[in-house]
Amino acid sequence: MSQVIGANLPRRDAEDKLRGRTMFTVDAAAGGLLHAALRRSDVAAGRIVSVDLEPARRMPGVRAVVSAADAPGRYGITIADHPLFAVDEIRYLGEPIAAVAAETLEQARAAAAAIVVEVEEFTPLITMAQALAGDARDLHPGWEDYDVLIEGGRRARNIGWEATVVRGDTDAVFARSDVRIIETEFVAGRQNQTPLEPRACVAGYENGRFVLQTSTQVPWAVRNSTARLLGVRESDVRVVVPPVGGGFGMKFEVSIEPFAALLARASGRSVKLVNSRQEEMQTALCRENAEIRIRSAVSESGEILAREAVVLMDCGAYGGEQPFLTSMTAHTLGGNYRLGAVRLVSRAVYTNSPPNGAFRACNGTYCTAALERHTDEICAALGMDRVEFRRRNVLGDGDIGSTGQVFEGDVLAPMLDRMISLRDSGEPVRQADDGRLYGTATTVGTWFIFVGPSAATVNLNPDGGVTLVTAGVEIGSGSTVQAIPQIVADSLGLRVEDVTVRAADTDAAGYDGGVGGGRTTVSLGAAGVAACDEVRRKVFEVAAEMLETSPGDLSLADGHVVVNGVPSARITLREVAEHAQQVSGPISGSGSFTGTGVQPMSGCAAGHLIGALDLPVFAVHECDVAVDPDTGHVEVLAYRVVQDVGRAINPRAILGQVQGGVVQGLGYALHEEITIDPRGKVRQTGFETYRVPLSGDVVPVRLDLYEGAPSIGPLGVKGAGEVPILNVAAVVSCAVADAIGKSVSQIPLTPQRVLGLILERDGESVDLRHVPQGWRENVIADPDELMAAAGVGRP
């Protein structure tokens, strides 16, 4: 029995963080640093007539000024549509036009403000409805000529990417006279990640190479994109990542690093660039706003015979991660329930607003909210119990998802049963006679662990401890400083404190896909186990000679190599390490891991970067709410979670992630929303105008960890950091609808919005007239060709 796996161990970095000893990128203050500032656009849309940099160059303390001429390339994830500096045209308010490095931050900001930019202003297209209008101008007039980095998605004018799913003949099902057709519309706003540490970078130029110390989740992606923009080899860029003060997906792309790198090369000095909180609020890669239409054909007995859905995702001025995120619609709208036939389309739409990006369970939060509201409306139309309908229809062992993937194991139905037990085992929520309206809801959700490639090296130190070298980043979840060391310690029979983790460095470690999608514990853990296997083999070879036995007779325990069956015959790992250095050299091992690459059904999915899920993960959430009918204020009274974790490495750490994810989700569900005025200006400028959850908003979560579901992770583990937010907006929306007896079709559920629903104000209704009713009218390609590719004949 492992003494490490499943132990409720405290965070190893907690005391340093609580006492302020942890040094983040934003804390860098080495002598001789220059400070940088960006000249950003003052309008959301327009043609650049001229840019005069000379006033900035003449300002006191200025050491370098760079602009589009210094980095003429474009970058992106699937489409290279994004220039570092605005070139010819401005596409969002706050877009960088030039960058300045000076001796002080005040001097840099003054010089940036002195740059003269002449613009022929256009009327900005702020909403997706405006961008999709027939007479709308192209936001990217040369979109056909952009480099395509990943093939597959369809594009046209202001649609930056389109992904589709076709499985089965939905037309035939919807035409049947014996089905009930239920339709739902849903709208979700933007959410800002608001990590405490803003995006920050310190760049140097040493011996012809760039060295970037940066607050990022993806050091290798920063390395590669920076090299592309600066026109250098990828090996000419080194990225070092100290502890990161939160990311939640906002730091999953290259951001300010190339600006700092250019200024470092131009000035010959190290340059520090940090976004202000206002810049973070107004240019962060927020969770995108979205518009969703779902309709289902259901039998009177409650079987979902067919489903169609259209999802519009606002990617802002540039594509970024949105093409990647369009893939997730297939799994968030089509991965909870058995569907007889399905047609989905997900579109990333360009607008004159700041680019959007990933945010914890990206795409999943609003798709799950829309789907679970739709599911409750199906139950209401059929007169069926909401939990029982879910239990009968959730995916189980051998069922296929929307893209034809075959799921393994019965997971969601038993989790629903566990939720009933969790509810019954606690104190019942008392509904006071206070005039408030009370509601309860239970929702299910399907997410995935983005496994992807990782590498690790484990070095056995002379003192018998080990050092783990990876490009994995600690962004605050504890995976790198806690879960991975526990896995390594278990593999080598050590204490967790005997495992040291080196900070991420692209020169020192092999490739890693970055922190996101709950992948760290799975991918880095598996790579670490593989590295430990090699270390163990080498240790046994050396120890076998020392103990005069064979390697197959040895095992590791408590920092010792032990002869099986002879407990007294043992030597310490320290003795083995010291002996190895004398006779064969230091002991180390390397390992790697990547996903197995589950494939969708042939012809089913088009434009998907993830056509099927290597590692699905599931969640069941339930909450009780009270709604004040006079003010519209929603109070969450109790919250319960059953979460699929595969195997719990550290239950205490998982509880922290679930509690944090739920609180973050409550902000999204009830009050967080980035809004943009008609000129393209983000109205929220900081924490004074953007309300994140406060301590008084925290609701203690009752948690049941569901273990044993199929997993390709080491020890059967699944990532636990991302999925906790997945169901929150869904369950709150459904509980509020239950309380007020009205349809809920928009988040966040601010008091004003909820009161409008109660009073049936027209202004609170969702208007998706710009989204055609039928699926066929919402796809770029010939819909009959898509159906034929999926093996469905012309209707």
Side-chain angles (χ1 to χ4, degrees):
M1 179 68 68
S2 172
Q3 301 299 310
V4 176
I5 302 302
N8 285 306
L9 301 177
R11 283 280 295 265
R12 301 167 69 191
D13 60 346
E15 183 174 352
D16 282 346
K17 287 185 174 178
L18 287 171
R19 295 185 180 276
R21 293 193 292 253
T22 301
M23 298 300 291
F24 301 94
T25 300
V26 74
D27 297 318
L33 276 178
L34 295 178
H35 297 268
L38 300 180
R39 171 63 162 96
R40 297 182 179 274
S41 68
D42 302 313
V43 301
R47 182 179 66 85
I48 297 176
V49 177
S50 64
V51 177
D52 187 359
L53 304 176
E54 289 307 313
R57 292 191 172 108
R58 294 194 294 266
M59 295 287 283
V62 171
R63 299 294 176 261
V65 181
V66 294
S67 64
D70 300 285
R74 288 184 170 87
Y75 68 100
I77 292 179
T78 60
I79 304 295
D81 62 357
H82 197 164
L84 186 60
F85 296 102
V87 179
D88 299 329
E89 189 168 321
I90 290 170
R91 294 186 173 90
Y92 69 96
L93 196 152
E95 184 166 12
I97 296 173
V100 176
E103 296 291 343
T104 68
L105 181 58
E106 292 74 19
Q107 290 173 333
R109 287 174 174 171
I115 294 171
V116 179
V117 181
E118 184 181 355
V119 177
E120 177 190 346
E121 191 170 356
F122 302 154
T123 300
L125 306 178
I126 302 302
T127 68
M128 289 189 285
Q130 292 170 340
L132 293 175
D135 59 350
R137 60 182 171 80
D138 286 3
L139 270 69
H140 289 263
W143 64 269
E144 299 98 331
D145 299 324
Y146 289 157
D147 288 344
V148 178
L149 306 179
I150 298 178
E151 299 283 352
R154 294 178 179 84
R155 300 181 294 142
R157 301 190 63 229
N158 291 335
I159 298 172
W161 192 271
E162 178 180 279
T164 56
V165 173
V166 177
R167 181 174 61 74
D169 193 343
T170 56
D171 287 321
V173 178
F174 279 104
R176 286 169 48 172
S177 60
D178 62 339
V179 299
R180 299 282 295 273
I181 298 177
I182 295 91
E183 299 191 21
T184 299
E185 294 180 344
F186 199 84
V187 172
R190 294 190 185 195
Q191 183 186 19
N192 190 291
Q193 297 91 340
T194 61
L196 289 181
E197 183 190 28
R199 287 171 288 182
C201 178
V202 176
Y205 190 62
E206 306 169 3
N207 300 317
R209 298 183 73 215
F210 296 93
V211 179
L212 308 179
Q213 176 182 319
T214 182
S215 181
T216 183
Q217 298 172 231
V218 284
W220 282 85
V222 167
R223 173 185 185 258
N224 297 346
S225 293
T226 299
R228 177 185 175 93
L229 284 165
L230 272 56
V232 300
R233 299 178 305 165
E234 294 170 354
S235 58
D236 289 333
V237 181
R238 176 190 175 199
V239 178
V240 181
V241 186
V244 174
F248 309 113
M250 185 180 76
K251 299 172 182 176
F252 203 72
E253 293 182 42
V254 69
S255 58
I256 62 176
E257 295 88 358
F259 301 114
L262 280 173
L263 290 169
R265 183 170 63 182
S267 65
R269 302 259 299 274
S270 292
V271 175
K272 182 177 182 180
L273 176 58
V274 179
N275 273 350
S276 68
R277 181 57 58 182
Q278 182 172 348
E279 286 177 308
E280 289 289 84
M281 296 298 297
Q282 297 190 321
T283 67
L285 301 171
C286 292
R287 186 193 304 281
E288 67 281 356
N289 49 295
E291 299 167 345
I292 305 165
R293 174 174 284 141
I294 310 174
R295 69 174 187 144
S296 295
V298 187
S299 70
E300 290 296 337
S301 62
E303 183 182 2
I304 307 171
L305 302 175
R307 172 162 294 154
E308 289 188 343
V310 178
V311 179
L312 300 183
M313 304 164 59
D314 189 342
C315 63
Y318 300 103
E321 292 176 67
Q322 299 307 305
F324 173 82
L325 301 184
T326 60
S327 298
M328 295 316 304
T329 296
H331 312 299
T332 50
L333 290 184
N336 286 358
Y337 303 103
R338 290 187 299 275
L339 304 174
V342 58
R343 290 195 304 203
L344 308 172
V345 58
S346 187
R347 310 175 108 180
V349 181
Y350 288 128
T351 60
N352 283 128
S353 63
N356 289 313
F359 189 157
R360 202 174 192 170
C362 39
N363 174 285
T365 52
Y366 54 77
C367 281
T368 300
L371 177 58
E372 291 301 271
R373 284 294 308 122
H374 181 63
T375 302
D376 276 3
E377 290 176 358
I378 290 174
C379 294
L382 298 178
M384 296 187 68
D385 178 80
R386 292 171 290 169
V387 175
E388 181 58 26
F389 177 88
R390 286 172 167 83
R391 184 189 286 107
R392 289 169 55 181
N393 283 282
V394 290
L395 288 167
D397 188 43
D399 290 330
I400 61 173
S402 65
T403 65
Q405 173 181 356
V406 179
F407 282 79
E408 298 179 11
D410 289 313
V411 184
L412 274 171
M415 288 175 67
L416 281 164
D417 292 336
R418 291 271 283 268
M419 177 58 77
I420 294 172
S421 298
L422 184 64
R423 179 203 311 154
D424 293 345
S425 66
E427 289 292 325
V429 175
R430 292 180 172 82
Q431 299 185 8
D433 186 17
D434 56 4
R436 293 193 296 175
L437 308 173
Y438 290 83
T440 300
T442 308
T443 61
V444 300
T446 300
W447 192 238
F448 77 118
I449 306 303
F450 177 56
V451 283
S454 286
T457 297
V458 173
N459 298 318
L460 179 61
N461 300 324
D463 63 1
V466 298
T467 299
L468 175 68
V469 181
T470 78
V473 177
E474 178 52 57
I475 66 169
S477 67
S479 293
T480 305
V481 298
Q482 195 64 53
I484 304 301
Q486 283 182 246
I487 291 172
V488 170
D490 178 70
S491 296
L492 296 177
L494 296 169
R495 303 173 303 166
V496 176
E497 51 265 38
D498 295 326
V499 181
T500 300
V501 180
R502 176 176 174 143
D505 183 334
T506 56
D507 272 7
Y511 180 83
D512 185 75
V515 180
R519 66 178 301 276
T520 303
T521 303
V522 172
S523 295
L524 275 179
V529 167
C532 288
D533 289 343
E534 185 177 351
V535 169
R536 186 188 302 107
R537 176 181 60 80
K538 292 179 178 179
V539 165
F540 287 168
E541 288 174 353
V542 174
E545 294 182 5
M546 299 173 69
L547 292 168
E548 298 181 344
T549 187
S550 66
D553 291 333
L554 301 176
S555 60
L556 292 170
D558 302 323
H560 289 75
V561 182
V562 183
V563 178
N564 297 328
V566 189
S568 60
R570 59 170 56 200
I571 53 176
T572 65
L573 271 177
R574 177 171 188 161
E575 292 173 296
V576 175
E578 290 175 343
H579 184 71
Q581 288 190 166
Q582 300 301 318
V583 300
S584 58
I587 292 175
S588 66
S590 296
S592 59
F593 174 81
T594 192
T596 55
V598 177
Q599 297 301 312
M601 185 182 294
S602 178
C604 227
H608 285 69
L609 278 69
I610 300 177
L613 305 179
D614 277 350
L615 184 50
V617 60
F618 306 97
V620 177
H621 286 213
E622 185 173 275
C623 79
D624 304 284
V625 302
V627 181
D628 188 326
D630 296 323
T631 66
H633 175 72
V634 177
E635 181 183 358
V636 178
L637 304 172
Y639 206 100
R640 297 171 287 278
V641 173
V642 179
Q643 181 161 317
D644 165 28
V645 296
R647 185 175 182 187
I649 300 298
N650 187 328
R652 172 175 171 173
I654 295 173
L655 175 59
Q657 286 299 299
V658 172
Q659 181 69 66
V662 168
V663 171
Q664 202 169 40
L666 291 176
Y668 180 56
L670 295 174
H671 47 74
E672 289 187 50
E673 185 174 19
I674 290 290
T675 59
I676 303 172
D677 71 17
R679 291 189 57 253
K681 183 178 181 180
V682 173
R683 294 186 175 97
Q684 292 72 27
T685 59
F687 291 128
E688 298 85 356
T689 50
Y690 185 78
R691 176 154 164 4
V692 297
L694 306 175
S695 59
D697 300 311
V698 175
V699 179
V701 174
R702 294 191 64 222
L703 174 63
D704 185 345
L705 300 181
Y706 185 88
E707 296 187 272
S711 172
I712 61 173
L715 306 173
V717 72
K718 295 185 178 184
E722 188 163 31
V723 70
I725 197 174
L726 178 69
N727 292 36
V728 184
V731 75
V732 171
S733 298
C734 290
V736 169
D738 183 52
I740 67 178
K742 308 286 184 182
S743 178
V744 169
S745 56
Q746 190 170 6
I747 53 172
L749 288 166
T750 61
Q752 179 183 11
R753 195 164 279 159
V754 173
L755 188 60
L757 292 173
I758 294 172
L759 300 177
E760 298 183 345
R761 293 174 180 163
D762 291 339
E764 299 304 330
S765 60
V766 168
D767 182 4
L768 298 183
R769 282 178 291 181
H770 56 285
V771 184
Q773 287 286 338
W775 175 86
R776 290 173 166 272
E777 292 74 34
N778 283 285
V779 294
I780 297 170
D782 183 335
D784 292 327
E785 291 182 2
L786 291 174
M787 296 183 70
V792 182
R794 183 184 295 272

